[in-house]
Amino acid sequence: PLRGRVSRIYRDARRLHGRGPFKDHLWISVEAPAESVWTVQPCFWFELGPDEWSYGLGYYAASPSTMMKLRARMERDPKPMETLTRRLNRQQEFSLEGEEYKRPKEGAPSELLAPWYLKKSFSMGHRDKLNESLFTRELVDRLKTGYEFLLPYYDYFVTLESDPDPREPG
């Protein structure tokens, strides 16, 4: 089962005084129900802003523990993530995004996995300017194809929380 979330653009009209809305982006996200805070779970999203739209998969704010688990998993068994990374690098729709550490993390098992080691949190997203294509059937097909492409990444990331904590002796 998955859970959906929808943002709202709101501002109390009695207190506008010439200012615009409190939030200027609408988004929906879909993620697995979890006991932890939703912002630290991988989720699929679609977002509309005043000038652009985007969609993809990632974390709103991955916890440091989640990123440690990701690095530890890549060190233990780099092949699955290398396969996913090569697949991501061969296509044009999605790119790896996210804030990077000021001091880069060392120890990536391969050059291919090094970009993942630099991220504090990450997403694989596509951004585009608002245009007529947003209101066509082709957008639905594009999103379906895109989310199907991202599904193996979701399957990989959603299980990170069950990995052992790399800080604890095992």
Side-chain angles (χ1 to χ4, degrees):
L2 296 174
R3 176 176 43 205
R5 297 187 182 278
V6 179
S7 72
R8 296 181 291 159
I9 294 177
Y10 63 88
R11 182 179 286 278
D12 188 334
R14 296 169 294 176
R15 294 178 176 81
L16 276 177
H17 305 294
R19 296 181 309 228
F22 178 65
K23 297 177 183 176
D24 63 356
H25 285 69
L26 287 172
W27 54 261
I28 61 168
S29 68
V30 177
E31 74 269 349
E35 292 180 20
S36 59
V37 180
W38 73 271
T39 59
V40 299
Q41 298 297 316
C43 68
F44 294 97
W45 88 86
F46 179 84
E47 181 177 31
L48 286 172
D51 301 320
E52 68 178 13
W53 64 275
S54 67
Y55 80 111
L57 166 72
Y59 290 84
Y60 182 78
S63 69
S65 171
T66 298
M67 296 308 291
M68 276 188 240
K69 289 177 181 184
L70 174 62
R71 289 189 297 275
R73 184 184 283 185
M74 289 189 291
E75 290 166 9
R76 262 191 330 272
D77 185 12
K79 298 256 183 275
M81 193 59 179
E82 286 175 343
T83 300
L84 290 172
T85 301
R86 277 193 286 284
R87 186 173 177 256
L88 182 65
N89 291 345
R90 283 193 304 263
Q91 54 78 54
Q92 300 295 314
E93 184 74 358
F94 299 103
S95 59
L96 180 61
E97 305 170 344
E99 184 180 357
E100 296 186 353
Y101 290 104
K102 291 191 182 3
R103 291 187 305 182
K105 300 286 183 186
E106 302 290 326
S110 69
E111 187 73 25
L112 189 60
L113 297 180
W116 297 94
Y117 270 64
L118 301 175
K119 302 295 182 196
K120 281 186 179 179
S121 187
F122 64 89
S123 63
M124 292 165 288
H126 174 83
R127 298 184 184 288
D128 216 337
K129 295 287 182 198
L130 293 181
N131 57 40
E132 305 80 39
S133 70
L134 193 61
F135 306 100
T136 66
R137 173 66 194 189
E138 286 78 34
L139 178 66
V140 174
D141 297 334
R142 183 177 186 176
L143 295 177
K144 181 177 182 275
T145 301
Y147 289 133
E148 286 173 349
F149 173 84
L150 293 171
L151 197 52
Y153 299 88
Y154 178 81
D155 291 339
Y156 185 86
F157 299 130
V158 77
T159 59
L160 281 174
E161 291 308 310
S162 63
D163 281 9
D165 189 329
R167 297 169 291 191
E168 295 176 7

